[in-house]
PDB file of all heavy atoms in Angstrom:
ATOM      1  N   PHE A 182      59.689 -17.227  12.525  1.00 93.00           N
ATOM      2  CA  PHE A 182      58.987 -18.485  12.689  1.00 93.00           C
ATOM      3  C   PHE A 182      58.838 -19.332  11.407  1.00 93.00           C
ATOM      4  O   PHE A 182      58.174 -20.346  11.408  1.00 93.00           O
ATOM      5  CB  PHE A 182      57.561 -18.214  13.268  1.00 93.00           C
ATOM      6  CG  PHE A 182      57.577 -17.917  14.719  1.00 93.00           C
ATOM      7  CD1 PHE A 182      57.730 -16.609  15.178  1.00 93.00           C
ATOM      8  CD2 PHE A 182      57.451 -18.938  15.646  1.00 93.00           C
ATOM      9  CE1 PHE A 182      57.786 -16.324  16.518  1.00 93.00           C
ATOM     10  CE2 PHE A 182      57.462 -18.662  17.002  1.00 93.00           C
ATOM     11  CZ  PHE A 182      57.612 -17.348  17.459  1.00 93.00           C
ATOM     12  N   ALA A 183      59.504 -18.893  10.363  1.00 93.00           N
ATOM     13  CA  ALA A 183      59.404 -19.568   9.074  1.00 93.00           C
ATOM     14  C   ALA A 183      59.782 -21.049   9.108  1.00 93.00           C
ATOM     15  O   ALA A 183      59.160 -21.859   8.385  1.00 93.00           O
ATOM     16  CB  ALA A 183      60.235 -18.851   8.037  1.00 93.00           C
ATOM     17  N   ASN A 184      60.684 -21.458   9.994  1.00 94.00           N
ATOM     18  CA  ASN A 184      61.076 -22.846  10.083  1.00 94.00           C
ATOM     19  C   ASN A 184      60.124 -23.666  10.940  1.00 94.00           C
ATOM     20  O   ASN A 184      60.269 -24.922  10.961  1.00 94.00           O
ATOM     21  CB  ASN A 184      62.508 -22.953  10.682  1.00 94.00           C
ATOM     22  CG  ASN A 184      63.544 -22.384   9.743  1.00 94.00           C
ATOM     23  OD1 ASN A 184      63.418 -22.426   8.509  1.00 94.00           O
ATOM     24  ND2 ASN A 184      64.631 -21.839  10.285  1.00 94.00           N
ATOM     25  N   PHE A 185      59.248 -23.029  11.616  1.00 94.00           N
ATOM     26  CA  PHE A 185      58.337 -23.757  12.549  1.00 94.00           C
ATOM     27  C   PHE A 185      56.888 -23.822  12.095  1.00 94.00           C
ATOM     28  O   PHE A 185      56.161 -24.762  12.379  1.00 94.00           O
ATOM     29  CB  PHE A 185      58.391 -23.075  13.909  1.00 94.00           C
ATOM     30  CG  PHE A 185      59.765 -22.936  14.457  1.00 94.00           C
ATOM     31  CD1 PHE A 185      60.386 -21.733  14.507  1.00 94.00           C
ATOM     32  CD2 PHE A 185      60.441 -24.067  14.897  1.00 94.00           C
ATOM     33  CE1 PHE A 185      61.691 -21.576  14.984  1.00 94.00           C
ATOM     34  CE2 PHE A 185      61.743 -23.945  15.376  1.00 94.00           C
ATOM     35  CZ  PHE A 185      62.332 -22.719  15.417  1.00 94.00           C
ATOM     36  N   ALA A 186      56.463 -22.823  11.362  1.00 90.00           N
ATOM     37  CA  ALA A 186      55.025 -22.737  10.987  1.00 90.00           C
ATOM     38  C   ALA A 186      54.861 -21.788   9.818  1.00 90.00           C
ATOM     39  O   ALA A 186      55.678 -20.901   9.583  1.00 90.00           O
ATOM     40  CB  ALA A 186      54.179 -22.279  12.184  1.00 90.00           C
ATOM     41  N   GLU A 187      53.742 -22.011   9.098  1.00 87.00           N
ATOM     42  CA  GLU A 187      53.418 -21.081   8.028  1.00 87.00           C
ATOM     43  C   GLU A 187      52.569 -19.994   8.648  1.00 87.00           C
ATOM     44  O   GLU A 187      51.504 -20.265   9.262  1.00 87.00           O
ATOM     45  CB  GLU A 187      52.636 -21.786   6.902  1.00 87.00           C
ATOM     46  CG  GLU A 187      52.308 -20.910   5.776  1.00 87.00           C
ATOM     47  CD  GLU A 187      51.595 -21.662   4.701  1.00 87.00           C
ATOM     48  OE1 GLU A 187      51.792 -22.835   4.504  1.00 87.00           O
ATOM     49  OE2 GLU A 187      50.774 -21.003   4.010  1.00 87.00           O
ATOM     50  N   ILE A 188      53.010 -18.778   8.525  1.00 85.00           N
ATOM     51  CA  ILE A 188      52.287 -17.657   9.133  1.00 85.00           C
ATOM     52  C   ILE A 188      51.856 -16.688   8.036  1.00 85.00           C
ATOM     53  O   ILE A 188      52.639 -16.318   7.139  1.00 85.00           O
ATOM     54  CB  ILE A 188      53.167 -16.873  10.173  1.00 85.00           C
ATOM     55  CG1 ILE A 188      53.523 -17.810  11.331  1.00 85.00           C
ATOM     56  CG2 ILE A 188      52.481 -15.632  10.601  1.00 85.00           C
ATOM     57  CD1 ILE A 188      54.477 -17.190  12.313  1.00 85.00           C
ATOM     58  N   GLU A 189      50.605 -16.321   8.084  1.00 86.00           N
ATOM     59  CA  GLU A 189      50.111 -15.324   7.126  1.00 86.00           C
ATOM     60  C   GLU A 189      49.892 -13.999   7.843  1.00 86.00           C
ATOM     61  O   GLU A 189      49.484 -13.996   8.992  1.00 86.00           O
ATOM     62  CB  GLU A 189      48.748 -15.784   6.501  1.00 86.00           C
ATOM     63  CG  GLU A 189      48.884 -17.041   5.681  1.00 86.00           C
ATOM     64  CD  GLU A 189      47.610 -17.462   5.065  1.00 86.00           C
ATOM     65  OE1 GLU A 189      47.074 -16.689   4.259  1.00 86.00           O
ATOM     66  OE2 GLU A 189      47.095 -18.543   5.402  1.00 86.00           O
ATOM     67  N   VAL A 190      50.230 -12.953   7.208  1.00 85.00           N
ATOM     68  CA  VAL A 190      50.126 -11.631   7.801  1.00 85.00           C
ATOM     69  C   VAL A 190      49.128 -10.800   7.008  1.00 85.00           C
ATOM     70  O   VAL A 190      49.191 -10.746   5.760  1.00 85.00           O
ATOM     71  CB  VAL A 190      51.516 -10.902   7.747  1.00 85.00           C
ATOM     72  CG1 VAL A 190      51.371  -9.481   8.331  1.00 85.00           C
ATOM     73  CG2 VAL A 190      52.546 -11.699   8.527  1.00 85.00           C
ATOM     74  N   PHE A 191      48.184 -10.204   7.740  1.00 86.00           N
ATOM     75  CA  PHE A 191      47.133  -9.374   7.133  1.00 86.00           C
ATOM     76  C   PHE A 191      46.995  -8.027   7.835  1.00 86.00           C
ATOM     77  O   PHE A 191      47.209  -7.978   9.096  1.00 86.00           O
ATOM     78  CB  PHE A 191      45.765 -10.092   7.193  1.00 86.00           C
ATOM     79  CG  PHE A 191      45.741 -11.438   6.585  1.00 86.00           C
ATOM     80  CD1 PHE A 191      45.803 -12.585   7.397  1.00 86.00           C
ATOM     81  CD2 PHE A 191      45.619 -11.614   5.233  1.00 86.00           C
ATOM     82  CE1 PHE A 191      45.768 -13.827   6.867  1.00 86.00           C
ATOM     83  CE2 PHE A 191      45.588 -12.853   4.674  1.00 86.00           C
ATOM     84  CZ  PHE A 191      45.649 -13.986   5.481  1.00 86.00           C
ATOM     85  N   ASP A 192      46.638  -7.022   7.170  1.00 85.00           N
ATOM     86  CA  ASP A 192      46.338  -5.736   7.763  1.00 85.00           C
ATOM     87  C   ASP A 192      44.927  -5.861   8.329  1.00 85.00           C
ATOM     88  O   ASP A 192      43.991  -6.171   7.596  1.00 85.00           O
ATOM     89  CB  ASP A 192      46.368  -4.672   6.668  1.00 85.00           C
ATOM     90  CG  ASP A 192      46.081  -3.277   7.196  1.00 85.00           C
ATOM     91  OD1 ASP A 192      45.282  -3.133   8.159  1.00 85.00           O
ATOM     92  OD2 ASP A 192      46.578  -2.292   6.680  1.00 85.00           O
ATOM     93  N   TRP A 193      44.806  -5.596   9.568  1.00 87.00           N
ATOM     94  CA  TRP A 193      43.511  -5.843  10.264  1.00 87.00           C
ATOM     95  C   TRP A 193      42.376  -4.933   9.780  1.00 87.00           C
ATOM     96  O   TRP A 193      41.237  -5.117  10.103  1.00 87.00           O
ATOM     97  CB  TRP A 193      43.628  -5.861  11.764  1.00 87.00           C
ATOM     98  CG  TRP A 193      44.067  -4.531  12.437  1.00 87.00           C
ATOM     99  CD1 TRP A 193      44.154  -3.334  11.878  1.00 87.00           C
ATOM    100  CD2 TRP A 193      44.436  -4.457  13.772  1.00 87.00           C
ATOM    101  NE1 TRP A 193      44.586  -2.426  12.796  1.00 87.00           N
ATOM    102  CE2 TRP A 193      44.770  -3.084  14.003  1.00 87.00           C
ATOM    103  CE3 TRP A 193      44.554  -5.313  14.817  1.00 87.00           C
ATOM    104  CZ2 TRP A 193      45.231  -2.611  15.212  1.00 87.00           C
ATOM    105  CZ3 TRP A 193      45.020  -4.843  16.051  1.00 87.00           C
ATOM    106  CH2 TRP A 193      45.293  -3.497  16.242  1.00 87.00           C
ATOM    107  N   THR A 194      42.685  -3.905   8.994  1.00 86.00           N
ATOM    108  CA  THR A 194      41.664  -3.027   8.429  1.00 86.00           C
ATOM    109  C   THR A 194      41.322  -3.484   6.986  1.00 86.00           C
ATOM    110  O   THR A 194      40.342  -2.909   6.403  1.00 86.00           O
ATOM    111  CB  THR A 194      42.079  -1.586   8.397  1.00 86.00           C
ATOM    112  OG1 THR A 194      43.250  -1.398   7.625  1.00 86.00           O
ATOM    113  CG2 THR A 194      42.359  -1.086   9.825  1.00 86.00           C
ATOM    114  N   GLY A 195      42.021  -4.448   6.457  1.00 89.00           N
ATOM    115  CA  GLY A 195      41.816  -4.830   5.056  1.00 89.00           C
ATOM    116  C   GLY A 195      40.712  -5.902   4.919  1.00 89.00           C
ATOM    117  O   GLY A 195      40.380  -6.610   5.884  1.00 89.00           O
ATOM    118  N   ASP A 196      40.169  -5.998   3.728  1.00 94.00           N
ATOM    119  CA  ASP A 196      39.132  -6.998   3.454  1.00 94.00           C
ATOM    120  C   ASP A 196      39.608  -8.423   3.616  1.00 94.00           C
ATOM    121  O   ASP A 196      38.846  -9.276   4.098  1.00 94.00           O
ATOM    122  CB  ASP A 196      38.578  -6.775   2.067  1.00 94.00           C
ATOM    123  CG  ASP A 196      37.812  -5.525   1.905  1.00 94.00           C
ATOM    124  OD1 ASP A 196      37.275  -5.024   2.931  1.00 94.00           O
ATOM    125  OD2 ASP A 196      37.701  -4.979   0.755  1.00 94.00           O
ATOM    126  N   GLU A 197      40.846  -8.748   3.291  1.00 94.00           N
ATOM    127  CA  GLU A 197      41.352 -10.070   3.378  1.00 94.00           C
ATOM    128  C   GLU A 197      41.416 -10.547   4.820  1.00 94.00           C
ATOM    129  O   GLU A 197      41.011 -11.677   5.147  1.00 94.00           O
ATOM    130  CB  GLU A 197      42.799 -10.130   2.783  1.00 94.00           C
ATOM    131  CG  GLU A 197      43.267 -11.566   2.563  1.00 94.00           C
ATOM    132  CD  GLU A 197      44.595 -11.598   1.823  1.00 94.00           C
ATOM    133  OE1 GLU A 197      45.352 -10.594   1.863  1.00 94.00           O
ATOM    134  OE2 GLU A 197      44.862 -12.647   1.222  1.00 94.00           O
ATOM    135  N   PHE A 198      41.753  -9.655   5.742  1.00 93.00           N
ATOM    136  CA  PHE A 198      41.751  -9.978   7.162  1.00 93.00           C
ATOM    137  C   PHE A 198      40.287 -10.279   7.605  1.00 93.00           C
ATOM    138  O   PHE A 198      40.058 -11.275   8.308  1.00 93.00           O
ATOM    139  CB  PHE A 198      42.322  -8.828   8.003  1.00 93.00           C
ATOM    140  CG  PHE A 198      42.218  -9.056   9.502  1.00 93.00           C
ATOM    141  CD1 PHE A 198      43.114  -9.904  10.148  1.00 93.00           C
ATOM    142  CD2 PHE A 198      41.226  -8.498  10.240  1.00 93.00           C
ATOM    143  CE1 PHE A 198      43.042 -10.096  11.503  1.00 93.00           C
ATOM    144  CE2 PHE A 198      41.081  -8.751  11.585  1.00 93.00           C
ATOM    145  CZ  PHE A 198      42.016  -9.523  12.262  1.00 93.00           C
ATOM    146  N   LYS A 199      39.395  -9.418   7.225  1.00 94.00           N
ATOM    147  CA  LYS A 199      37.990  -9.600   7.609  1.00 94.00           C
ATOM    148  C   LYS A 199      37.458 -10.927   7.128  1.00 94.00           C
ATOM    149  O   LYS A 199      36.680 -11.610   7.792  1.00 94.00           O
ATOM    150  CB  LYS A 199      37.163  -8.401   7.127  1.00 94.00           C
ATOM    151  CG  LYS A 199      37.532  -7.111   7.776  1.00 94.00           C
ATOM    152  CD  LYS A 199      36.851  -5.908   7.113  1.00 94.00           C
ATOM    153  CE  LYS A 199      37.392  -4.634   7.727  1.00 94.00           C
ATOM    154  NZ  LYS A 199      36.893  -3.445   7.072  1.00 94.00           N
ATOM    155  N   GLU A 200      37.832 -11.338   5.907  1.00 95.00           N
ATOM    156  CA  GLU A 200      37.399 -12.621   5.387  1.00 95.00           C
ATOM    157  C   GLU A 200      38.005 -13.778   6.167  1.00 95.00           C
ATOM    158  O   GLU A 200      37.342 -14.779   6.426  1.00 95.00           O
ATOM    159  CB  GLU A 200      37.820 -12.743   3.882  1.00 95.00           C
ATOM    160  CG  GLU A 200      37.027 -11.812   3.029  1.00 95.00           C
ATOM    161  CD  GLU A 200      37.598 -11.706   1.601  1.00 95.00           C
ATOM    162  OE1 GLU A 200      38.451 -12.533   1.257  1.00 95.00           O
ATOM    163  OE2 GLU A 200      37.178 -10.791   0.859  1.00 95.00           O
ATOM    164  N   GLN A 201      39.273 -13.659   6.591  1.00 95.00           N
ATOM    165  CA  GLN A 201      39.952 -14.713   7.331  1.00 95.00           C
ATOM    166  C   GLN A 201      39.391 -14.930   8.692  1.00 95.00           C
ATOM    167  O   GLN A 201      39.497 -16.028   9.236  1.00 95.00           O
ATOM    168  CB  GLN A 201      41.477 -14.402   7.424  1.00 95.00           C
ATOM    169  CG  GLN A 201      42.205 -14.543   6.112  1.00 95.00           C
ATOM    170  CD  GLN A 201      42.163 -15.952   5.605  1.00 95.00           C
ATOM    171  OE1 GLN A 201      42.304 -16.909   6.290  1.00 95.00           O
ATOM    172  NE2 GLN A 201      41.926 -16.067   4.297  1.00 95.00           N
ATOM    173  N   LEU A 202      38.725 -13.933   9.269  1.00 96.00           N
ATOM    174  CA  LEU A 202      38.126 -14.103  10.599  1.00 96.00           C
ATOM    175  C   LEU A 202      37.167 -15.238  10.614  1.00 96.00           C
ATOM    176  O   LEU A 202      37.041 -15.965  11.630  1.00 96.00           O
ATOM    177  CB  LEU A 202      37.419 -12.814  11.052  1.00 96.00           C
ATOM    178  CG  LEU A 202      38.287 -11.669  11.527  1.00 96.00           C
ATOM    179  CD1 LEU A 202      37.483 -10.465  11.777  1.00 96.00           C
ATOM    180  CD2 LEU A 202      39.070 -12.091  12.761  1.00 96.00           C
ATOM    181  N   GLU A 203      36.483 -15.528   9.532  1.00 96.00           N
ATOM    182  CA  GLU A 203      35.508 -16.617   9.452  1.00 96.00           C
ATOM    183  C   GLU A 203      36.144 -17.982   9.614  1.00 96.00           C
ATOM    184  O   GLU A 203      35.449 -18.960   9.875  1.00 96.00           O
ATOM    185  CB  GLU A 203      34.739 -16.568   8.147  1.00 96.00           C
ATOM    186  CG  GLU A 203      33.938 -15.269   7.950  1.00 96.00           C
ATOM    187  CD  GLU A 203      33.278 -15.162   6.592  1.00 96.00           C
ATOM    188  OE1 GLU A 203      33.091 -16.205   5.924  1.00 96.00           O
ATOM    189  OE2 GLU A 203      32.919 -14.044   6.199  1.00 96.00           O
ATOM    190  N   TYR A 204      37.461 -18.075   9.443  1.00 95.00           N
ATOM    191  CA  TYR A 204      38.190 -19.335   9.537  1.00 95.00           C
ATOM    192  C   TYR A 204      39.153 -19.357  10.690  1.00 95.00           C
ATOM    193  O   TYR A 204      40.046 -20.245  10.750  1.00 95.00           O
ATOM    194  CB  TYR A 204      38.941 -19.594   8.242  1.00 95.00           C
ATOM    195  CG  TYR A 204      38.068 -19.427   7.009  1.00 95.00           C
ATOM    196  CD1 TYR A 204      38.097 -18.310   6.239  1.00 95.00           C
ATOM    197  CD2 TYR A 204      37.161 -20.473   6.680  1.00 95.00           C
ATOM    198  CE1 TYR A 204      37.281 -18.178   5.104  1.00 95.00           C
ATOM    199  CE2 TYR A 204      36.347 -20.317   5.592  1.00 95.00           C
ATOM    200  CZ  TYR A 204      36.381 -19.144   4.821  1.00 95.00           C
ATOM    201  OH  TYR A 204      35.578 -19.078   3.731  1.00 95.00           O
ATOM    202  N   THR A 205      38.997 -18.426  11.621  1.00 95.00           N
ATOM    203  CA  THR A 205      40.007 -18.254  12.719  1.00 95.00           C
ATOM    204  C   THR A 205      39.559 -19.053  13.927  1.00 95.00           C
ATOM    205  O   THR A 205      38.437 -18.927  14.417  1.00 95.00           O
ATOM    206  CB  THR A 205      40.107 -16.787  13.040  1.00 95.00           C
ATOM    207  OG1 THR A 205      40.520 -16.076  11.870  1.00 95.00           O
ATOM    208  CG2 THR A 205      41.046 -16.539  14.186  1.00 95.00           C
ATOM    209  N   ASP A 206      40.468 -19.916  14.406  1.00 95.00           N
ATOM    210  CA  ASP A 206      40.211 -20.703  15.620  1.00 95.00           C
ATOM    211  C   ASP A 206      40.610 -19.979  16.877  1.00 95.00           C
ATOM    212  O   ASP A 206      40.027 -20.241  17.961  1.00 95.00           O
ATOM    213  CB  ASP A 206      40.976 -22.027  15.564  1.00 95.00           C
ATOM    214  CG  ASP A 206      40.518 -22.917  14.402  1.00 95.00           C
ATOM    215  OD1 ASP A 206      39.278 -22.950  14.200  1.00 95.00           O
ATOM    216  OD2 ASP A 206      41.341 -23.568  13.791  1.00 95.00           O
ATOM    217  N   ILE A 207      41.626 -19.123  16.773  1.00 95.00           N
ATOM    218  CA  ILE A 207      42.063 -18.372  17.953  1.00 95.00           C
ATOM    219  C   ILE A 207      42.463 -16.953  17.495  1.00 95.00           C
ATOM    220  O   ILE A 207      43.162 -16.767  16.504  1.00 95.00           O
ATOM    221  CB  ILE A 207      43.214 -19.053  18.676  1.00 95.00           C
ATOM    222  CG1 ILE A 207      43.672 -18.270  19.879  1.00 95.00           C
ATOM    223  CG2 ILE A 207      44.407 -19.325  17.748  1.00 95.00           C
ATOM    224  CD1 ILE A 207      44.632 -19.006  20.850  1.00 95.00           C
ATOM    225  N   LEU A 208      41.916 -15.968  18.233  1.00 95.00           N
ATOM    226  CA  LEU A 208      42.227 -14.554  17.940  1.00 95.00           C
ATOM    227  C   LEU A 208      42.901 -13.973  19.142  1.00 95.00           C
ATOM    228  O   LEU A 208      42.423 -14.046  20.259  1.00 95.00           O
ATOM    229  CB  LEU A 208      40.902 -13.799  17.655  1.00 95.00           C
ATOM    230  CG  LEU A 208      41.042 -12.327  17.334  1.00 95.00           C
ATOM    231  CD1 LEU A 208      41.875 -12.103  16.084  1.00 95.00           C
ATOM    232  CD2 LEU A 208      39.674 -11.702  17.189  1.00 95.00           C
ATOM    233  N   ILE A 209      44.138 -13.434  18.904  1.00 94.00           N
ATOM    234  CA  ILE A 209      44.938 -12.995  20.055  1.00 94.00           C
ATOM    235  C   ILE A 209      45.263 -11.500  19.868  1.00 94.00           C
ATOM    236  O   ILE A 209      45.795 -11.109  18.819  1.00 94.00           O
ATOM    237  CB  ILE A 209      46.259 -13.746  20.126  1.00 94.00           C
ATOM    238  CG1 ILE A 209      45.999 -15.237  20.255  1.00 94.00           C
ATOM    239  CG2 ILE A 209      47.103 -13.248  21.327  1.00 94.00           C
ATOM    240  CD1 ILE A 209      47.228 -16.126  20.126  1.00 94.00           C
ATOM    241  N   ASN A 210      44.919 -10.718  20.872  1.00 93.00           N
ATOM    242  CA  ASN A 210      45.329  -9.300  20.886  1.00 93.00           C
ATOM    243  C   ASN A 210      46.669  -9.185  21.621  1.00 93.00           C
ATOM    244  O   ASN A 210      46.780  -9.514  22.807  1.00 93.00           O
ATOM    245  CB  ASN A 210      44.289  -8.413  21.546  1.00 93.00           C
ATOM    246  CG  ASN A 210      44.813  -6.978  21.657  1.00 93.00           C
ATOM    247  OD1 ASN A 210      45.447  -6.485  20.797  1.00 93.00           O
ATOM    248  ND2 ASN A 210      44.470  -6.319  22.762  1.00 93.00           N
ATOM    249  N   THR A 211      47.691  -8.750  20.907  1.00 90.00           N
ATOM    250  CA  THR A 211      49.029  -8.548  21.532  1.00 90.00           C
ATOM    251  C   THR A 211      49.395  -7.074  21.535  1.00 90.00           C
ATOM    252  O   THR A 211      50.554  -6.752  21.774  1.00 90.00           O
ATOM    253  CB  THR A 211      50.124  -9.351  20.780  1.00 90.00           C
ATOM    254  OG1 THR A 211      50.181  -8.863  19.439  1.00 90.00           O
ATOM    255  CG2 THR A 211      49.819 -10.837  20.796  1.00 90.00           C
ATOM    256  N   THR A 212      48.448  -6.205  21.328  1.00 91.00           N
ATOM    257  CA  THR A 212      48.671  -4.767  21.343  1.00 91.00           C
ATOM    258  C   THR A 212      48.286  -4.206  22.731  1.00 91.00           C
ATOM    259  O   THR A 212      47.589  -4.866  23.496  1.00 91.00           O
ATOM    260  CB  THR A 212      47.803  -4.038  20.280  1.00 91.00           C
ATOM    261  OG1 THR A 212      46.457  -4.010  20.734  1.00 91.00           O
ATOM    262  CG2 THR A 212      47.879  -4.721  18.927  1.00 91.00           C
ATOM    263  N   PRO A 213      48.718  -2.986  23.015  1.00 94.00           N
ATOM    264  CA  PRO A 213      48.296  -2.387  24.305  1.00 94.00           C
ATOM    265  C   PRO A 213      46.878  -1.774  24.254  1.00 94.00           C
ATOM    266  O   PRO A 213      46.440  -1.196  25.201  1.00 94.00           O
ATOM    267  CB  PRO A 213      49.373  -1.325  24.534  1.00 94.00           C
ATOM    268  CG  PRO A 213      49.832  -0.971  23.207  1.00 94.00           C
ATOM    269  CD  PRO A 213      49.736  -2.196  22.345  1.00 94.00           C
ATOM    270  N   LEU A 214      46.194  -1.953  23.131  1.00 95.00           N
ATOM    271  CA  LEU A 214      44.850  -1.305  22.997  1.00 95.00           C
ATOM    272  C   LEU A 214      43.899  -1.957  24.035  1.00 95.00           C
ATOM    273  O   LEU A 214      43.677  -3.139  24.016  1.00 95.00           O
ATOM    274  CB  LEU A 214      44.270  -1.528  21.608  1.00 95.00           C
ATOM    275  CG  LEU A 214      45.035  -0.841  20.461  1.00 95.00           C
ATOM    276  CD1 LEU A 214      44.478  -1.250  19.125  1.00 95.00           C
ATOM    277  CD2 LEU A 214      45.017   0.665  20.663  1.00 95.00           C
ATOM    278  N   GLY A 215      43.384  -1.119  24.923  1.00 96.00           N
ATOM    279  CA  GLY A 215      42.481  -1.542  25.975  1.00 96.00           C
ATOM    280  C   GLY A 215      43.098  -1.695  27.326  1.00 96.00           C
ATOM    281  O   GLY A 215      42.443  -1.857  28.304  1.00 96.00           O
TER     282      GLY A 215
END
């Protein structure tokens, strides 16, 4: 998707991901968890 949008990748157990949640407009689960 590099030519279409800037995408940032975070480990969901890391502090950086947890901080980014505060600025998240949409959260999507694409895993089979649940």
Side-chain angles (χ1 to χ4, degrees):
F182 283 89
N184 293 330
F185 307 106
E187 183 178 329
I188 296 175
E189 295 182 63
V190 177
F191 304 100
D192 180 329
W193 63 12
T194 61
D196 290 336
E197 194 173 23
F198 175 81
K199 293 172 187 173
E200 291 169 12
Q201 289 298 317
L202 283 174
E203 297 176 21
Y204 309 102
T205 301
D206 295 321
I207 181 169
L208 180 62
I209 304 170
N210 176 35
T211 62
T212 74
L214 295 175

